[in-house]
Amino acid sequence: DAGITQSPRHKVTETGTPVTLRCHQTENHRYMYWYRQDPGHGLRLIHYSYGVKDTDKGEVSDGYSVSRSKTEDFLLTLESATSSQTSVYFCAIKSSGSYNEQFFGPGTRLTVL
Amino acid sequence: KNEVEQSPQNLTAQEGEFITINCSYSVGISALHWLQQHPGGGIVSLFMLSSGKKKHGRLIATINIQEKHSSLHITASHPRDSAVYICAVPVSQSGGGADGLTFGKGTHLIIQP
């Protein structure tokens, strides 16, 4: 399972509150990703990181920020959650090298009321 | 940006049937990924391929780089194969996957006993 954990696994929150999701990996992989999965849209890239303090935006980055202060942790923050951010969030990692697979965490189900 | 189309969106078959799921993409790639997701479950990488064919048990994946097309086949299908199968390619040709993946919307497969 490539040693990826996500926390929390489930969260219910209210509109306007800040939320932080954590992705933790134990194998020192350089690349980390946050995706969201929604019916009708499939999986979409939110943000990604290519090293400590090195991050970039993905397809659906509006309303989200990320931080990576340590190799093993990649945090996704919703500064002010909205109902449109209700989704399942998956973290993934990829080893260095262009052809390596991505491995996914177990997911976090977030509901914004 | 790469665009990914999968077909069919839904597929119901009888146990033992030969299954084919198709994936087309718009921009040349370094490698294509096939993923599996069981209901309520995590995402598992089945194959990553850049040319030709790969086989793992009853699963076979092929890719035609010139035609920008890949297929996933399941031989002697079984109810435990019921899942969503997702095709994914790198976001950009130059990124090689470091900048994340773009996904098809998935094929929802049901194998009836």
Side-chain angles (χ1 to χ4, degrees):
Chain A
D1 64 358
I4 308 169
T5 57
Q6 292 184 230
S7 59
R9 296 292 314 279
H10 302 270
K11 186 170 181 67
V12 180
T13 192
E14 294 190 350
T15 298
T17 59
V19 176
T20 295
L21 308 183
R22 179 184 184 231
C23 177
H24 179 78
Q25 54 126 340
T26 59
E27 299 184 3
N28 270 341
H29 294 291
R30 178 181 175 189
Y31 299 98
M32 298 184 76
Y33 307 86
W34 278 108
Y35 298 98
R36 61 178 288 177
Q37 186 177 38
D38 305 287
H41 291 281
L43 285 150
R44 292 177 292 175
L45 178 66
I46 305 171
H47 280 279
Y48 66 100
S49 170
Y50 46 95
V52 173
K53 292 190 169 62
D54 291 323
T55 65
D56 208 343
K57 296 178 180 179
E59 177 188 357
V60 290
S61 59
D62 286 350
Y64 301 95
S65 62
V66 290
S67 65
R68 192 167 179 201
S69 59
K70 300 185 287 186
T71 299
E72 58 265 35
D73 288 325
F74 191 30
L75 304 181
L76 177 72
T77 297
L78 292 64
E79 300 289 348
S80 177
T82 67
S83 58
S84 64
Q85 294 175 311
T86 293
S87 187
V88 181
Y89 291 86
F90 287 96
C91 173
I93 60 92
K94 184 178 93 72
S95 298
S96 297
S98 297
Y99 299 102
N100 289 6
E101 296 171 79
Q102 289 197 15
F103 297 95
F104 290 79
T108 294
R109 183 173 294 276
L110 176 66
T111 302
V112 184
L113 302 175
Chain B
K1 179 181 175 295
N2 229 326
E3 303 287 342
V4 182
E5 295 288 336
Q6 266 187 254
S7 63
Q9 289 187 11
N10 298 283
L11 178 57
T12 300
Q14 295 298 121
E15 183 173 358
E17 286 189 38
F18 182 81
I19 303 298
T20 296
I21 299 169
N22 296 299
C23 176
S24 297
Y25 52 93
S26 58
V27 178
I29 58 170
S30 54
L32 178 143
H33 304 251
W34 281 103
L35 310 167
Q36 180 192 56
Q37 185 176 29
H38 280 102
I43 299 168
V44 174
S45 178
L46 296 175
F47 294 103
M48 185 186 65
L49 66 165
S50 55
S51 64
K53 179 166 82 171
K54 284 191 176 180
K55 183 171 188 241
H56 184 210
R58 295 179 295 103
L59 300 178
I60 304 166
T62 64
I63 189 167
N64 185 319
I65 295 292
Q66 286 73 32
E67 295 187 3
K68 298 186 178 65
H69 181 268
S70 176
S71 293
L72 177 68
H73 306 285
I74 305 174
T75 62
S77 59
H78 189 275
R80 65 175 174 265
D81 297 325
S82 298
V84 177
Y85 293 84
I86 304 167
C87 168
V89 299
V91 167
S92 63
Q93 190 171 23
S94 59
D99 53 351
L101 297 176
T102 294
F103 302 81
K105 290 186 169 58
T107 295
H108 187 195
L109 175 65
I110 297 173
I111 304 297
Q112 295 178 334

